[in-house]
């Protein structure tokens, strides 16, 4: 059994989500952590919680200009839901510029403080912002996932030493992806599996819409990288997910 620790299963991408869950189950993916990015998607995450579907709610840095105070209140209001396992997807993104750097850091810190206060893990988005991400996270006592990690081995070790694990997704299956070298220097304790559906579809399905069912392919890819079985990758990454997400339980099969 496998876990997709990071997906965006929204009606605007998929229409009816039941089929997505059926496809996932048919490929040994029993748990999906659905990540919100703004008020509307957070509400949808909460609405779609189910046997297979856990949730993370948060305000993504790309929404720093438009979020409202009530969007933060909504996160706090729903934090005690037993199926809401993290605050996410939150973080810093300077890919399109740093004009709103301080506003991003403020929004990030606001949500990290809530996570610390309520003792809940975080799912971190960091793009072209490694130094600020590390310095901001260091102000808090938190654990969580560095979603779609794409840095150096040194950066990986810094995050691991801070109590985070790395999220690995379809990007690692892309030709010439440098991440393979990074992961060869890590262990099976250091990462969890994710798809980031509907984005980042793994090879050889690129060009089609990503789905949680492709976790199976990512687990097989990692198995080959580490010279082991996908079942062993599943066992280890499930344990890592359980270590990070306190509210997660793995269904008996
Ligand atoms: Zn995401």
């Amino acid at each position: 059994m496998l876990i997709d620790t990071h997906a965006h299963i929204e009606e605007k991408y998929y229409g009816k989500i039941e089929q997505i869950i059926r496809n996932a189950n048919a490929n040994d993916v029993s748990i999906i952590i659905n990540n919100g990015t703004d008020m509307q998607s957070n509400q949808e995450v909460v609405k779609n919680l189910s046997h297979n579907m856990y949730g993370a709610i948060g305000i993504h840095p790309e929404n720093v200009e438009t979020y409202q105070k009530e969007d933060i209140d909504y996160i706090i209001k729903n934090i005690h839901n037993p199926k809401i396992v993290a605050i996410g997807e939150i973080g810093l993104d300077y890919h399109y510029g740093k004009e709103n750097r301080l506003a991003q850091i403020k929004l990030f810190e606001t949500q990290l403080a809530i996570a610390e206060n309520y003792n809940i893990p975080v799912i971190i988005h960091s793009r072209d912002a490694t130094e600020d991400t590390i310095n901001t996270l260091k102000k808090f006592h938190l654990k969580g996932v560095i979603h779609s990690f794409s840095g150096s081995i040194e950066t990986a070790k810094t995050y691991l030493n801070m109590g985070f694990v790395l999220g690995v997704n379809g990007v690692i299956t892309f030709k010439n992806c440098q991440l393979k070298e990074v992961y060869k220097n890590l262990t099976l304790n250091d990462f969890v599996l994710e798809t980031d559906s509907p984005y980042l579809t793994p090879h050889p399905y690129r060009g089609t819409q990503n789905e949680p069912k492709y976790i199976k392919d990512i687990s097989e890819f990692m198995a080959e990288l580490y010279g082991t079985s996908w079942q062993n990758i599943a066992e280890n990454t499930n344990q890592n997910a359980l270590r990070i997400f306190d509210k997660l339980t793995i269904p008996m099969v």
Side-chain angles (χ1 to χ4, degrees), residues 147-149 167-173 192-196 200 202 218:
H147 151 62
S148 202
F149 174 77
V168 66
N169 54 43
V171 171
I172 199 164
T173 69
V192 292
L193 307 176
E194 58 175 44
T195 59
D196 205 21
L200 307 180
I218 297 167

Side-chain angles (χ1 to χ4, degrees), residues 49-76:
L49 295 171
S50 71
H51 178 64
N52 297 103
M53 194 87 104
Y54 287 80
I57 47 177
I59 310 295
H60 191 285
E62 73 187 10
N63 299 311
V64 67
E65 313 282 357
T66 51
Y67 83 98
Q68 312 276 320
K69 190 194 165 289
E70 67 208 51
D71 304 353
I72 298 290
D73 296 341
Y74 183 81
I75 296 170
I76 297 171

Side-chain angles (χ1 to χ4, degrees), residues 6-8 35 37 60 89 125 147 196-197 199:
H6 191 114
H8 303 276
N35 278 238
T37 58
H60 191 285
E89 162 175 3
H125 170 105
H147 151 62
D196 205 21
S197 296
Y199 316 108

Side-chain angles (χ1 to χ4, degrees), residues 94-110:
Y94 302 153
H95 188 67
Y96 301 104
K98 291 174 93 165
E99 299 75 34
N100 54 21
R101 173 176 173 267
L102 291 179
Q104 284 197 37
I105 292 175
K106 182 170 173 266
L107 170 62
F108 190 30
E109 288 187 340
T110 298

